[in-house]
Amino acid sequence: DAQQQYLAYNAMASMMWYASKMDSAKFYFQEALNAVHHMDTTPVNKYYRTAILTNNIAGIYRLEGKTTEAIKAMETAINNTKKFIASKGNEENKKNALSLQFEAIDNLAGIYKDFGNYSRAQHLLEYSYQQKRKSLPPSDPALFISRILLGQLYYATKEYEKALSYLYKGQEALHQEEGDYFLWDADACYTIALILDEQNKPVKANEYYKKANSLYAIAFQENYDEIYLDFLRNYSLFDAENGRCSQAIKQSLAALNYVSVNNASGSLLRLYQLLNLSEIYAKCGHYIHSLTYAQKAITYIRNYIPQSTSFLDSIKIESEMPKAILLQSKAKYKLLQNRDTGSIAAILKDLNETVRLIERKRTIFSDAHDLGTFIESQKELTDFIKQLNYELYKLSYHKGYIDKIIGV
């Protein structure tokens, strides 16, 4: 029976998703979609159930770095919810379809946010929030979800006070509702922790990291989904920055092992953990280990890039390369026995590739604020390039290095 197959495959896919077993999740979601295609062509099957599945499949494309496919699938999901809501009958499912439409719009915003198109993400999130306020009762969870998502966006654009306002209001509304909203509460605490860390309030930030960790543990049990894995990356990095190196390394190694064991090697999840370990080892002064994981990350990216089928996909994957090369270069620099012209110039040669990649990514931005935010995010890299050029100038007194400092 096709309907039973749909229900079984969808349930199995959801389990795999929350365990970050992306290969399996994708397989079962696609099998569920195949089952729907063999069911009667009612609006529920043709539009509503198809929208549920394409929304989820888009999330997997996002983690695979297939940005173009993710956007296309999410837009298909949104259009199918609109068609279902416009169809005759099925009134009992239309409220759920409207909620799904808002969820898909929020998810589409998340895809744009991922590669730095904050203006587009903001437009979508604000539109979704406005429509929710028009269409849903004030107590609907979708409203506090919008506030938390907007808070996360404003954290990304470094508008910290605005972000905190949305996050605190989202949490306040969440705590007034009955239900298990541990995940959204954790997301809010996590973003608040990130902001407090940026504001140089480590004690308060640590409190919110601990709150978030406890809430995620309740929400996910023993599973690590992509949200929790992202949290663990920043939490372990925060521990390393505050001298808790053994704890940070242990936590980061556990996360890498989890994604390696659970078939997530075909997504970007493993890459993110490799980069995180390299950064943690660097902060803890273990430069040989930092170099090892940076080089593993670079190899992973180089092997992954050929899978890209569009300019946007390649940009998404390539955007991790500057960080990987920077980590490799800093580790090599720290490990130099003699900081002479030849050894520093060799490191600088590696960094030249990052300049080309940054220039390539700059071409995707049409909004000046988004471009400014992206340039600011590369400051650590450009500062290191300037530092190496200055050291070469001091060693050789060649004025060409001063020109390079000015030109970075």
Side-chain angles (χ1 to χ4, degrees):
D1 178 71
Q3 180 163 321
Q4 290 301 316
Q5 287 181 332
Y6 157 75
L7 294 170
Y9 285 135
N10 193 37
M12 184 62 72
S14 297
M15 289 173 59
M16 295 298 104
W17 168 271
Y18 285 114
S20 290
K21 298 180 180 181
M22 295 303 161
D23 295 343
S24 298
K26 186 177 181 181
F27 171 79
Y28 285 117
F29 277 133
Q30 288 178 331
E31 287 298 304
L33 193 59
N34 290 336
V36 170
H37 292 158
H38 286 90
M39 294 161 67
D40 294 338
T41 55
T42 62
V44 169
N45 295 329
K46 187 176 181 181
Y47 301 127
Y48 180 50
R49 284 176 168 163
T50 300
I52 292 171
L53 294 168
T54 49
N55 176 49
N56 292 329
I57 291 169
I60 295 174
Y61 286 146
R62 176 182 177 184
L63 291 175
E64 291 178 333
K66 297 176 180 176
T67 304
T68 304
E69 289 183 64
I71 291 172
K72 184 178 177 182
M74 204 64 79
E75 288 175 342
T76 298
I78 293 166
N79 289 332
N80 277 332
T81 59
K82 290 178 179 178
K83 289 175 183 177
F84 177 71
I85 291 166
S87 68
K88 294 180 180 179
N90 305 298
E91 298 304 319
E92 68 279 5
N93 285 320
K94 287 188 176 177
K95 182 183 176 184
N96 291 335
L98 184 61
S99 295
L100 175 62
Q101 183 182 128
F102 294 142
E103 179 186 327
I105 293 170
D106 292 342
N107 288 339
L108 182 59
I111 297 170
Y112 281 106
K113 176 170 161 273
D114 279 350
F115 62 86
N117 193 336
Y118 299 125
S119 56
R120 179 65 174 153
Q122 182 177 341
H123 170 77
L124 288 165
L125 286 176
E126 288 181 345
Y127 170 78
S128 174
Y129 185 38
Q130 290 167 3
Q131 294 305 307
K132 288 175 185 179
R133 294 175 74 179
K134 287 180 184 177
S135 308
L136 303 173
S139 61
D140 195 291
L143 291 168
F144 68 67
I145 288 171
S146 271
R147 293 184 191 116
I148 292 169
L149 290 173
L150 283 163
Q152 291 173 328
L153 174 70
Y154 291 125
Y155 159 71
T157 58
K158 301 185 182 299
E159 297 171 80
Y160 296 139
E161 294 306 320
K162 196 172 183 179
L164 286 172
S165 175
Y166 274 103
L167 291 163
Y168 288 139
K169 286 177 182 176
Q171 277 193 311
E172 183 181 352
L174 181 155
H175 293 153
Q176 291 174 0
E177 298 302 318
E178 293 182 5
D180 297 337
Y181 301 115
F182 302 116
L183 176 56
W184 287 107
D185 202 2
D187 280 356
C189 286
Y190 170 29
T191 311
I192 292 168
L194 290 169
I195 294 169
L196 292 169
D197 187 27
E198 288 290 333
Q199 294 177 331
N200 295 313
K201 299 174 182 177
V203 175
K204 198 72 176 172
N206 195 38
E207 288 177 18
Y208 274 93
Y209 268 121
K210 287 181 175 179
K211 283 182 188 177
N213 197 29
S214 297
L215 290 163
Y216 281 131
I218 296 169
F220 293 122
Q221 302 300 319
E222 295 182 1
N223 292 322
Y224 290 28
D225 98 320
E226 54 113 358
I227 297 170
Y228 190 37
L229 286 165
D230 181 74
F231 165 77
L232 289 175
R233 278 164 42 215
N234 281 299
Y235 191 14
S236 58
L237 202 57
F238 173 78
D239 279 338
E241 288 169 348
N242 288 277
R244 296 181 288 273
C245 283
S246 59
Q247 181 177 318
I249 292 166
K250 182 181 178 181
Q251 189 163 259
S252 191
L253 282 169
L256 175 61
N257 182 63
Y258 184 91
V259 296
S260 299
V261 168
N262 287 285
N263 303 318
S265 57
S267 73
L268 297 177
L269 294 177
R270 187 166 184 270
L271 170 61
Y272 297 150
Q273 296 303 327
L274 290 170
L275 289 168
N276 195 56
L277 262 169
S278 177
E279 192 168 3
I280 286 170
Y281 276 124
K283 288 186 182 298
C284 295
H286 304 311
Y287 298 112
I288 292 175
H289 291 313
S290 177
L291 178 60
T292 298
Y293 282 102
Q295 289 173 335
K296 286 182 178 181
I298 290 168
T299 300
Y300 194 93
I301 295 166
R302 294 203 196 284
N303 291 338
Y304 209 100
I305 286 173
Q307 299 178 34
S308 303
T309 57
S310 73
F311 174 71
L312 206 55
D313 293 356
S314 63
I315 287 289
K316 169 64 180 170
I317 297 160
E318 283 177 4
S319 65
E320 302 300 332
M321 186 65 94
K323 181 175 182 178
I325 293 175
L326 175 62
L327 287 165
Q328 174 187 255
S329 300
K330 283 196 163 186
K332 283 182 176 181
Y333 178 79
K334 290 288 186 180
L335 291 167
L336 286 177
Q337 297 293 323
N338 297 303
R339 293 178 181 172
D340 53 29
T341 303
S343 57
I344 294 174
I347 293 172
L348 202 52
K349 185 179 178 182
D350 290 338
L351 289 166
N352 286 338
E353 182 182 353
T354 68
V355 176
R356 179 185 64 80
L357 293 171
I358 288 169
E359 288 302 316
R360 188 167 137 88
K361 185 168 181 179
R362 283 179 63 150
T363 63
I364 72 170
F365 295 108
S366 57
D367 181 86
H369 188 262
D370 289 349
L371 177 58
T373 303
F374 170 67
I375 292 170
E376 177 64 23
S377 72
Q378 303 302 316
K379 188 175 185 301
E380 183 184 357
L381 173 62
T382 55
D383 283 351
F384 189 55
I385 292 172
K386 289 176 182 178
Q387 177 192 328
L388 295 186
N389 275 295
Y390 182 63
E391 290 192 24
L392 286 173
Y393 170 72
K394 287 195 297 181
L395 288 167
S396 66
Y397 292 102
H398 194 293
K399 290 184 178 180
Y401 292 119
I402 297 296
D403 294 336
K404 289 180 180 178
I405 292 170
I406 296 168
V408 172

